[in-house]
Amino acid sequence: MEGEENGGKIEAKKEAAAPEGSIHGFESLHRLLEASLEPKVFQEVNRLLLGLNCGSPLQRLDLPDVAASLSANHDFDLQAFCFHAEKELLRQPRTVRVGLVQNSIALPTSAPFLDQKKAILEKVKPMIDAAGASGVNVLCLQEAWMMPFAFCTREKRWCEFAEPVNGESTQFLQDLARKYNMVIVNPILERDINHGETIWNTAVIIGNHGNIIGIHRKNHIPRVGDFNESTYYMEGNTGHPVFETAFGKIAVNICYGRHHPLNWLAFGLNGAEIVFNPSATVGELSEPMWPIEARNAAIANSYYVGSINRIGTEVFPNPFTSGDGKPQHSDFGHFYGSSHFSAPDASCTPSLSRYRDGLLVSDMDLNLCRQLKDKWGFRMTARYDLYAKMLSRYQKPEFSPQVVVDPHLQKRA
Amino acid sequence: MEGEENGGKIEAKKEAAAPEGSIHGFESLHRLLEASLEPKVFQEVNRLLLGLNCGSPLQRLDLPDVAASLSANHDFDLQAFCFHAEKELLRQPRTVRVGLVQNSIALPTSAPFLDQKKAILEKVKPMIDAAGASGVNVLCLQEAWMMPFAFCTREKRWCEFAEPVNGESTQFLQDLARKYNMVIVNPILERDINHGETIWNTAVIIGNHGNIIGIHRKNHIPRVGDFNESTYYMEGNTGHPVFETAFGKIAVNICYGRHHPLNWLAFGLNGAEIVFNPSATVGELSEPMWPIEARNAAIANSYYVGSINRIGTEVFPNPFTSGDGKPQHSDFGHFYGSSHFSAPDASCTPSLSRYRDGLLVSDMDLNLCRQLKDKWGFRMTARYDLYAKMLSRYQKPEFSPQVVVDPHLQKRA
């Protein structure tokens, strides 16, 4: 609202809008199918795609009017759902309300850095306010939300956006965490002053009293397409911490770590009940993988997953090549949003918009995690001893794979 | 065809048919969406659900008329597709044609065992013939295809169906492997004569010369719902072998093993290019998970996955309970078929029928596996050393998870 007179802001908004007249312009797969299918068919498709129990409709949550007003006034998508768990006889339900925020940048990347930083805080605040007004207990923002995703450029000037763990964006969120009694996960580009100004990709976990509970640094760094992130920071050194908050045990698997089943597994072995996956990923590269990996992690590890992806197309001042033989260009491609939750019982929520900022809220009873562990028994049938030995052998240079060759091939050779 | 006069056979066929007038009666999600959506919308939905590259339509394969005739005469679903890989400059394409067979049982479970055994071989043969006539190079049958999936009963009489590795069904398939120059994966209930008549759940890998290349025994055994398999056999002792055949390196992840990302990983570390997942799984329990886990495995491990599930409802002579508080009943639920292929680039084929026997064929260039390894680099960014250590620690009774507790909680306590 505050930037209507700012030409730059309007330009950034245009980037985030759906291309007109194109089928690509639909807001989400769920809404496209809902608009195109008869209700009876849609329900059956939902049963399979969202993993709903047969006959049970998707359960939506009512949010207070103030959240709806903020959504209307600030033009962000607002969706709220509810996962189902069984009642237990010895434990009370442990229902927590969890939120995910996705957003485009606020100003063009050519704007003064200080203006960009201010504008992004201003842009995200109404969504955090809506979460607070909705009684969200735990909220997670997207990867490096306080800056453009500039790693495609390989220019080191963007390191100026890096902040210490207790820096500007953390302080901004600490106030809001206190105000709303809300745990907030703050994924930043970190500058580690005490270790020679090292750069990390870090999530800061802010407790509901505004205190910093701890940090986690991204474990797996991509070298694919325009994701030149290994140019900027290295593999994290914080292990796989689980943070015990007032609202459950949470962990953070940052972006590319979602492609690594072992990374998801380790958070599970440490007891996570909700794992957030703050990300930045673009259309052609990953959109079909996006719902698969998160849901698989939730199923295999008996925990909830909150997946967040940023929004829009970010155009940079200096063109760059992408290692694909194509001419230089100035943008990274379209960040398709589509933030969503997955549950341990293989169900999931519909996704937020592919084109607009958004806040996704879901109620989840954390008891469901143990219920699924008891039901499927993956932890007990996993034979971890086999795999500990296998991985120990594998990492040795002299590892030889277990291959049985058809003798007919050996005769030929 | 040969059993028209057999009342039992007709009954078994009725079980496999779709319930009339129910939306559950659709043959596959893909066909339901194709029939319900405008072509332009369907194409976009396909892009996301099947992971097709933008604009590229689903590529179908033409099969010879004899395969179509067999499909029509024996009433089985027949679908054939083609995955796309880039041309390389130093390697020729290594395109292989791979087939999956799904089927219901042929006679009621109350028929004499000898009749059931004969009838199932007769029933499956036309599908194998269609595969052979279509030039399929590697074919996989469903889990324990030579018997009803009787493990729900906990009755030990069904162990009579167990066969030695070189038993009746293997000999039957060895002839066909020679005839069609085809590798065949034969998932059986195995009786291990040399180890005290032990029972295993085993896949026998038959080479294209009719020779037995080797075996793999199911690594992870379920204890969930009616899957009382741990009553019948124990965890396999064959590790994670990859079989180097004339048509590529293949491995077999049997049924419940698909819920274990480490099991998929180990076959990948041993160099598999195609991993088959012969299964038997029923509707309410697993249908939404079915496409997720296979596709995730293909993505995470840069190999192809062939997923096979049996068909129909199997009714047993003696009622049994299911540990769910419900009254005794005589069937396991509906095996929903839906066999399909997943590729390392996150694409997948549509699924076979949810109600009918079927043969699914797909061409796949095995070069795609290495192309995806080079593109995404999961193997190089995986930090296996971290996880070897983590799993070694985890399996010790005194393991303590990495948990950071909010000090505000500790004060309270």
Side-chain angles (χ1 to χ4, degrees):
Chain A
M1 298 305 282
E2 57 288 306
E4 292 293 297
E5 70 295 335
N6 181 326
K9 184 155 191 174
I10 286 159
E11 191 194 313
K13 272 197 175 167
K14 246 190 282 167
E15 288 295 338
E20 274 175 44
S22 155
I23 185 68
H24 279 296
F26 65 94
E27 278 223 278
S28 75
L29 180 63
H30 186 261
R31 279 174 260 186
L32 177 67
L33 291 171
E34 186 168 29
S36 309
L37 294 172
E38 284 177 44
K40 199 175 165 190
V41 177
F42 180 63
Q43 192 185 336
E44 182 62 10
V45 169
N46 258 354
R47 181 180 76 83
L48 291 176
L49 292 186
L50 302 184
L52 300 175
N53 280 327
C54 190
S56 68
L58 181 65
Q59 212 177 325
R60 288 185 187 271
L61 261 185
D62 282 331
L63 296 185
D65 291 344
V66 56
S69 299
L70 283 163
S71 152
N73 293 339
H74 295 271
D75 188 28
F76 62 84
D77 193 13
L78 178 67
Q79 305 276 333
F81 305 97
C82 186
F83 288 110
H84 172 78
E86 297 296 324
K87 285 226 165 131
E88 299 184 12
L89 299 179
L90 292 178
R91 290 198 301 184
Q92 292 298 313
R94 292 186 300 137
T95 301
V96 295
R97 185 161 290 188
V98 187
L100 310 175
V101 169
Q102 66 177 31
N103 59 277
S104 60
I105 53 175
L107 290 185
T109 60
S110 54
F113 280 13
L114 195 61
D115 294 352
Q116 289 189 52
K117 287 182 68 163
K118 274 188 197 160
I120 196 82
L121 297 191
E122 280 169 11
K123 186 178 208 275
V124 168
K125 188 167 179 299
M127 292 192 276
I128 303 176
D129 287 334
S134 301
V136 164
N137 303 123
V138 187
L139 182 71
C140 185
L141 304 184
Q142 72 197 15
E143 185 185 21
W145 66 280
M146 21 59 79
M147 63 178 287
F149 210 73
F151 311 126
C152 48
T153 67
R154 304 191 309 284
E155 299 167 13
K156 291 297 171 97
R157 56 192 288 233
W158 303 101
C159 293
E160 278 205 57
F161 277 97
E163 300 177 355
V165 165
N166 60 355
E168 199 170 347
S169 70
T170 298
Q171 289 168 30
F172 166 76
L173 295 174
Q174 284 177 296
D175 288 343
L176 292 165
R178 264 186 296 267
K179 177 173 178 184
Y180 293 120
N181 188 36
M182 184 159 68
V183 172
I184 304 183
V185 178
N186 178 27
I188 60 171
L189 187 67
E190 181 200 347
R191 182 168 301 275
D192 182 2
I193 309 291
N194 293 342
H195 290 89
E197 306 262 8
T198 306
I199 305 281
W200 302 99
N201 186 320
T202 300
V204 182
I205 285 69
I206 301 168
N208 55 314
H209 293 86
N211 53 312
I212 296 174
I213 301 178
I215 64 165
H216 174 59
R217 291 173 176 152
K218 184 171 176 173
N219 273 328
H220 301 271
I221 313 292
R223 289 103 163 129
V224 54
D226 273 335
F227 292 85
N228 301 315
E229 300 174 42
S230 63
T231 304
Y232 290 89
Y233 41 83
M234 302 295 284
E235 279 73 12
N237 59 357
T238 52
H240 296 84
V242 166
F243 302 95
E244 189 169 350
T245 74
F247 308 110
K249 292 184 179 177
I250 69 173
V252 193
N253 179 344
I254 304 175
C255 196
Y256 178 82
R258 76 180 175 281
H259 305 302
H260 287 286
L262 284 165
N263 201 34
W264 291 110
L265 172 70
F267 293 117
L269 296 182
N270 282 328
E273 296 170 309
I274 310 169
V275 180
F276 294 101
N277 177 230
S279 295
T281 182
V282 288
E284 299 304 310
L285 189 67
S286 69
E287 198 165 357
M289 303 155 76
W290 178 243
I292 301 291
E293 293 159 313
R295 289 185 68 187
N296 190 75
I299 295 166
N301 299 291
S302 304
Y303 53 51
Y304 292 94
V305 173
S307 305
I308 315 166
N309 183 24
R310 65 170 62 202
I311 279 289
T313 303
E314 301 178 1
V315 179
F316 291 91
N318 302 317
F320 49 87
T321 56
S322 295
D324 56 3
K326 292 183 185 157
Q328 64 174 13
H329 54 106
S330 302
D331 74 89
F332 204 138
H334 175 67
F335 294 103
Y336 54 82
S338 306
S339 303
H340 62 99
F341 287 107
S342 307
D345 64 355
S347 67
C348 67
T349 68
S351 298
L352 284 181
S353 171
R354 298 171 67 245
Y355 291 101
R356 291 195 299 145
D357 293 358
L359 168 67
L360 180 65
V361 177
S362 185
D363 277 2
M364 47 189 76
D365 182 350
L366 301 182
N367 284 352
L368 189 63
C369 301
R370 198 173 83 178
Q371 289 174 16
L372 267 291
K373 284 181 181 175
D374 288 351
K375 176 177 180 181
W376 280 99
F378 297 149
R379 284 289 166 272
M380 291 191 291
T381 57
R383 307 185 72 185
Y384 294 117
D385 56 329
L386 278 189
Y387 300 101
K389 283 181 205 137
M390 167 93 190
L391 288 173
S392 296
R393 284 199 313 273
Y394 179 78
Q395 64 184 326
K396 292 182 185 147
E398 65 273 18
F399 168 75
S400 173
Q402 183 186 357
V403 178
V404 182
V405 183
D406 185 341
H408 287 270
L409 293 181
Q410 289 170 320
K411 271 181 231 158
R412 230 196 287 163
Chain B
M1 300 305 283
E2 58 287 303
E4 293 292 299
E5 71 296 335
N6 181 327
K9 184 154 193 177
I10 287 161
E11 190 194 316
K13 271 197 178 167
K14 245 189 284 167
E15 289 294 338
E20 273 174 45
S22 155
I23 186 66
H24 279 296
F26 65 94
E27 277 223 279
S28 74
L29 180 63
H30 187 261
R31 279 175 260 185
L32 177 66
L33 291 172
E34 187 168 29
S36 308
L37 295 172
E38 284 176 44
K40 202 175 163 190
V41 177
F42 180 62
Q43 191 185 335
E44 182 61 10
V45 168
N46 258 353
R47 180 182 76 82
L48 290 177
L49 291 186
L50 302 184
L52 300 175
N53 281 326
C54 189
S56 69
L58 181 65
Q59 212 177 323
R60 288 185 187 271
L61 260 185
D62 281 331
L63 296 184
D65 291 344
V66 56
S69 299
L70 283 163
S71 153
N73 292 339
H74 295 271
D75 188 27
F76 62 84
D77 193 12
L78 179 65
Q79 305 275 333
F81 304 97
C82 186
F83 287 109
H84 172 78
E86 297 295 324
K87 285 225 163 132
E88 299 183 12
L89 299 179
L90 292 178
R91 290 198 302 185
Q92 291 298 312
R94 292 187 300 137
T95 301
V96 296
R97 184 161 290 187
V98 187
L100 311 175
V101 169
Q102 67 176 31
N103 59 277
S104 60
I105 54 176
L107 289 185
T109 59
S110 53
F113 281 11
L114 196 60
D115 294 352
Q116 289 189 53
K117 288 182 67 163
K118 274 188 199 160
I120 197 83
L121 297 191
E122 281 169 11
K123 186 177 207 277
V124 167
K125 187 166 179 299
M127 291 192 276
I128 302 176
D129 287 334
S134 302
V136 164
N137 302 122
V138 187
L139 182 72
C140 186
L141 304 183
Q142 72 197 15
E143 184 184 22
W145 67 279
M146 21 59 79
M147 61 179 288
F149 211 72
F151 311 126
C152 49
T153 67
R154 304 191 309 283
E155 298 168 12
K156 292 296 172 94
R157 56 192 287 233
W158 303 101
C159 293
E160 279 205 57
F161 277 97
E163 299 178 356
V165 165
N166 59 356
E168 198 169 347
S169 70
T170 297
Q171 289 167 31
F172 166 75
L173 295 174
Q174 284 178 297
D175 289 343
L176 293 164
R178 264 186 296 267
K179 178 173 178 184
Y180 294 119
N181 188 36
M182 185 160 67
V183 172
I184 303 182
V185 179
N186 178 28
I188 61 170
L189 187 67
E190 181 200 347
R191 182 168 302 275
D192 181 3
I193 309 292
N194 293 342
H195 290 89
E197 306 260 9
T198 306
I199 306 281
W200 302 100
N201 186 319
T202 300
V204 182
I205 285 67
I206 301 168
N208 56 314
H209 293 88
N211 53 312
I212 296 173
I213 301 178
I215 64 165
H216 174 58
R217 290 172 177 153
K218 185 171 177 172
N219 274 327
H220 302 271
I221 313 293
R223 288 102 163 129
V224 54
D226 273 335
F227 292 86
N228 302 316
E229 299 174 43
S230 62
T231 304
Y232 290 89
Y233 40 83
M234 303 294 284
E235 279 73 12
N237 60 355
T238 52
H240 296 85
V242 166
F243 302 95
E244 189 169 351
T245 75
F247 308 109
K249 292 183 179 176
I250 68 173
V252 193
N253 179 344
I254 304 175
C255 198
Y256 178 82
R258 74 181 175 280
H259 305 301
H260 287 285
L262 285 165
N263 201 35
W264 291 110
L265 172 71
F267 293 117
L269 296 183
N270 282 329
E273 295 169 310
I274 309 169
V275 180
F276 295 101
N277 177 229
S279 296
T281 182
V282 289
E284 299 305 310
L285 189 66
S286 69
E287 197 166 359
M289 303 155 75
W290 178 243
I292 302 288
E293 293 158 315
R295 289 185 69 188
N296 190 75
I299 295 166
N301 299 292
S302 305
Y303 53 51
Y304 292 94
V305 173
S307 305
I308 315 165
N309 183 24
R310 66 171 58 204
I311 280 290
T313 304
E314 301 178 0
V315 180
F316 291 92
N318 301 317
F320 49 88
T321 55
S322 295
D324 56 4
K326 292 182 184 158
Q328 65 175 11
H329 53 107
S330 302
D331 74 272
F332 205 140
H334 175 66
F335 294 103
Y336 54 81
S338 306
S339 303
H340 62 98
F341 286 107
S342 308
D345 64 356
S347 68
C348 68
T349 68
S351 298
L352 284 180
S353 171
R354 298 170 67 247
Y355 291 100
R356 291 195 299 146
D357 294 357
L359 168 65
L360 179 66
V361 176
S362 185
D363 277 2
M364 49 189 76
D365 182 351
L366 301 182
N367 284 353
L368 188 63
C369 302
R370 198 173 83 177
Q371 289 172 17
L372 267 291
K373 284 181 181 175
D374 287 351
K375 176 177 179 180
W376 280 99
F378 297 148
R379 284 288 166 272
M380 292 191 291
T381 56
R383 308 185 70 184
Y384 294 117
D385 56 329
L386 278 188
Y387 300 100
K389 282 179 204 138
M390 167 94 191
L391 288 174
S392 295
R393 285 198 312 273
Y394 179 80
Q395 63 182 325
K396 292 182 185 147
E398 66 272 20
F399 168 75
S400 172
Q402 184 187 357
V403 177
V404 181
V405 183
D406 185 341
H408 287 270
L409 294 181
Q410 289 171 319
K411 270 181 234 161
R412 229 196 287 162

